[in-house]
Amino acid sequence: MRPALVQVLDALQFCVSDTHWHVPPFHLRPGEWATLVSGDSPDLIDPSGPLIRTLFTLRSPEHGTVFLHNQDAYALPYVGQQRLRAEMGFVPSSGGLLSNRTLRDNIALPLSLHARLTFKEEALRVDEQLDRFGLRAADHMFPHEVNGYTRWRACLARALILSPSIVMLEGLGDWDIERGQGLGWQRLREYRQRQDNAILIALPSAHPEFEQWFQQQGGHIIRYRIAAELPLQGATHR
Amino acid sequence: MNIFDKTGKAFFNFVRYILVLFTLFYLSLKVLWTNRKLGHREFLRQVLMQIYFTGIQAILPILVLALLVGTFAIISAMGGAAFSGAEQVGRVVTVVLIRELAPLLTGSIIIARSITAITTELGTMRVQREIEALEAMGISPIHHLITPRLVGGVLSFAALTVFFGFVALISGFLIAQTMVPIPIELFVHFVFSAVQPTDIPALGIKVLGGGAGMFIIACYHGLSVRRASTEVPVAVSTAALNAFVFLIALHVGVSASMFLRSNSFELLGVVL
């Protein structure tokens, strides 16, 4: 049995602004992909944001334990968490591209910090990634100069450039989901199959068509609940 | 809430503010060690960019200001009633221009240009969630954004202060020539003989301490923006004002301590 890349040992429960998130225990192994979908129909804007941030060590949970790469992610010191994040790829819903850098420089940033490459090697890797995501024509442009889909692809290209073992995508909008067959999705699927990596997608609300399509692609659906009050059953107090 | 509550609250807020600034300064130095395994190329690029924006781009305004101030200082010294020859000119140039005005006016130019720019940039990054994106990439925002700005900013401030002093001296000398011809050797001799042993460390504290404080204030206010872009201009004006007050307070503190070291006087019956 391959080790789980992501494992929520206890039911993960946390609270943000008087709203409780309840995620059942789950794991994600190499080569798998899963979608976290809200089981309720919450009257909340972007409930997947706090959830994926908690799983990505950006927001500490009040209850529950998140294991990433067989380590209790929140027990690590800041520098350890930093190293862990560098081994994962995160695509925030806002894109998160740095507005004062061109798309090329945005994609090159993780490489220049985390990989010891020469200028030439780095440029080669970035060129490959730009070609793979169809971004070569826009490589000199700034994020605000391109459309949302190009920004999303650039963000995905940046998240995948260090070949992370886990990729987490936050709160995709309907617009992104409809493009499930687009270039970005195609590359994401190839990436998972080629390198045995795990991919986790968090959705803000139920999306039957996407879920059906996702299950056809071999993905798991994990449902979480959101409520004003939730009993903390089975949770380990931290 | 009565006056004592308000005063106490303001005092504790002030103490907290100072502690936060010191913590940020400490962390910005600490990341040089904790993040030493990260690529240095990106860090160097950020430092060089800061030197370009703060140092290189400010050369022209500093040049103009130094020429004007040098001229003004010499005219004032020569026209003053206490004027007693070229020695007085050298003393005025050294004390007023190099020790006091050079770091103060250079700092003011830096506040107007760089402190406001850094606060705006970081505040905007915060609102657009770019800082969170950096954290998500395993990049410490302090290492990537604050430390390079601090290092580049302080180096630029030091270089610009020296440049200001040099240009002010040259312009002062040229203006002095039109009024009282002084041989250059004599002028240089008077300038250097007027330099006290304590002037160098005092200037060092004003430049290094002042630079570090101003840039940390800018970074803190930029990062303290939380939700809306309307918070950015408020943060910018607060940062500029606080940086200016800090710079003046540091100058007053350093000059007062130097004065107390070299003179003793009586205050309320106590000989200091």
Side-chain angles (χ1 to χ4, degrees), chain A residues 46 53 56 58 78-79 82 85-86 88 90 92-94 96-101 105 109-110 112-114 116-119 122 158 170, chain B residues 34-43 45-46 49 121 124-125 128-141 143-144 149:
Chain A
D46 192 18
R53 276 173 177 69
F56 202 79
L58 290 170
Y78 181 75
V79 177
Q82 222 180 307
R85 282 185 217 131
M88 304 190 287
F90 181 53
S93 57
S94 59
L97 294 172
L98 304 187
S99 53
N100 58 356
R101 287 172 170 258
D105 287 346
L109 182 63
S112 57
L113 277 158
H114 295 298
R116 298 288 174 114
L117 300 176
T118 61
F119 270 119
E122 188 182 301
R158 185 181 67 180
E170 177 204 357
Chain B
T34 54
N35 285 272
R36 65 192 180 281
K37 286 180 184 162
L38 290 184
H40 300 303
R41 200 188 305 153
E42 186 55 37
F43 182 81
R45 177 189 143 139
Q46 294 286 327
M49 273 173 64
E121 188 186 8
T124 311
M125 286 182 83
Q128 293 181 348
R129 293 167 79 167
E130 292 176 22
I131 290 178
E132 187 189 61
L134 281 175
E135 283 201 89
M137 283 187 276
I139 301 168
S140 158
H143 181 261
H144 186 69
R149 278 161 181 75

Side-chain angles (χ1 to χ4, degrees), chain B:
Chain B
M1 195 184 278
N2 64 31
I3 185 80
F4 294 108
D5 288 342
K6 281 182 183 172
T7 312
K9 192 179 172 191
F11 174 74
F12 281 113
N13 280 342
F14 176 72
V15 171
R16 185 182 151 274
Y17 179 66
I18 300 294
L19 286 176
V20 169
L21 292 180
F22 269 107
T23 308
L24 194 57
F25 179 65
Y26 165 72
L27 289 175
S28 63
L29 296 182
K30 190 186 165 193
V31 289
L32 287 172
W33 173 253
T34 54
N35 285 272
R36 65 192 180 281
K37 286 180 184 162
L38 290 184
H40 300 303
R41 200 188 305 153
E42 186 55 37
F43 182 81
L44 198 64
R45 177 189 143 139
Q46 294 286 327
V47 173
L48 291 176
M49 273 173 64
Q50 194 57 50
I51 289 175
Y52 174 72
F53 290 132
T54 303
I56 312 282
Q57 286 193 340
I59 285 179
L60 192 63
I62 292 285
L63 178 77
V64 173
L65 191 69
L67 284 171
L68 292 173
V69 170
T71 307
F72 173 73
I74 294 297
I75 290 172
S76 303
M78 292 184 131
F83 175 63
S84 60
E87 197 176 347
Q88 178 70 7
V89 177
R91 192 164 295 133
V92 167
V93 165
T94 309
V95 174
V96 177
L97 282 184
I98 297 176
R99 207 179 69 192
E100 304 297 345
L101 286 181
L104 191 63
L105 292 178
T106 309
S108 304
I109 294 269
I110 284 178
I111 288 169
R113 292 187 73 260
S114 300
I115 299 303
T116 51
I118 287 173
T119 312
T120 309
E121 188 186 8
L122 295 185
T124 311
M125 286 182 83
R126 188 88 182 177
V127 171
Q128 293 181 348
R129 293 167 79 167
E130 292 176 22
I131 290 178
E132 187 189 61
L134 281 175
E135 283 201 89
M137 283 187 276
I139 301 168
S140 158
I142 293 181
H143 181 261
H144 186 69
L145 299 172
I146 298 181
T147 312
R149 278 161 181 75
L150 184 68
V151 173
V154 171
L155 287 177
S156 303
F157 185 25
L160 286 174
T161 304
V162 172
F163 178 71
F164 183 104
F166 180 74
V167 172
L169 275 180
I170 299 288
S171 68
F173 172 71
L174 293 176
I175 295 297
Q177 286 299 96
T178 62
M179 297 178 177
V180 183
I182 314 166
I184 188 159
E185 301 84 26
L186 198 62
F187 183 80
V188 170
H189 170 74
F190 284 138
V191 167
F192 280 101
S193 62
V195 174
Q196 305 281 323
T198 52
D199 284 344
I200 306 295
L203 188 65
I205 292 169
K206 285 175 183 175
V207 171
L208 299 179
M214 288 192 310
F215 282 92
I216 284 292
I217 287 171
C219 293
Y220 169 73
H221 286 281
L223 293 179
S224 64
V225 171
R226 291 279 160 224
R227 299 170 69 191
S229 57
T230 46
E231 292 174 37
V232 177
V234 179
V236 171
S237 56
T238 312
L241 187 68
N242 289 4
F244 193 65
V245 170
F246 166 76
L247 192 66
I248 298 281
L250 185 75
H251 273 68
V252 170
V254 173
S255 298
S257 62
M258 279 184 61
F259 177 76
L260 288 174
R261 275 177 66 91
S262 53
N263 300 283
S264 62
F265 66 98
E266 197 174 309
L267 181 70
L268 299 173
V270 179
V271 177
L272 297 167

Side-chain angles (χ1 to χ4, degrees), chain A residues 5-23:
Chain A
L5 291 174
V6 180
Q7 191 164 8
V8 178
L9 273 191
D10 306 310
L12 185 66
Q13 299 191 33
F14 61 95
C15 172
V16 178
S17 309
D18 295 332
T19 307
H20 294 257
W21 273 254
H22 180 97
V23 188

Side-chain angles (χ1 to χ4, degrees), chain A residues 152-185:
Chain A
W152 185 71
R153 274 184 293 150
C155 198
L156 200 55
R158 185 181 67 180
L160 298 184
I161 198 155
L162 285 172
S163 305
S165 51
I166 311 161
V167 183
M168 296 194 194
L169 289 87
E170 177 204 357
L172 302 171
D174 289 354
W175 190 77
D176 293 319
I177 292 164
E178 280 162 18
R179 288 176 182 268
Q181 301 301 321
L183 187 62
W185 282 98

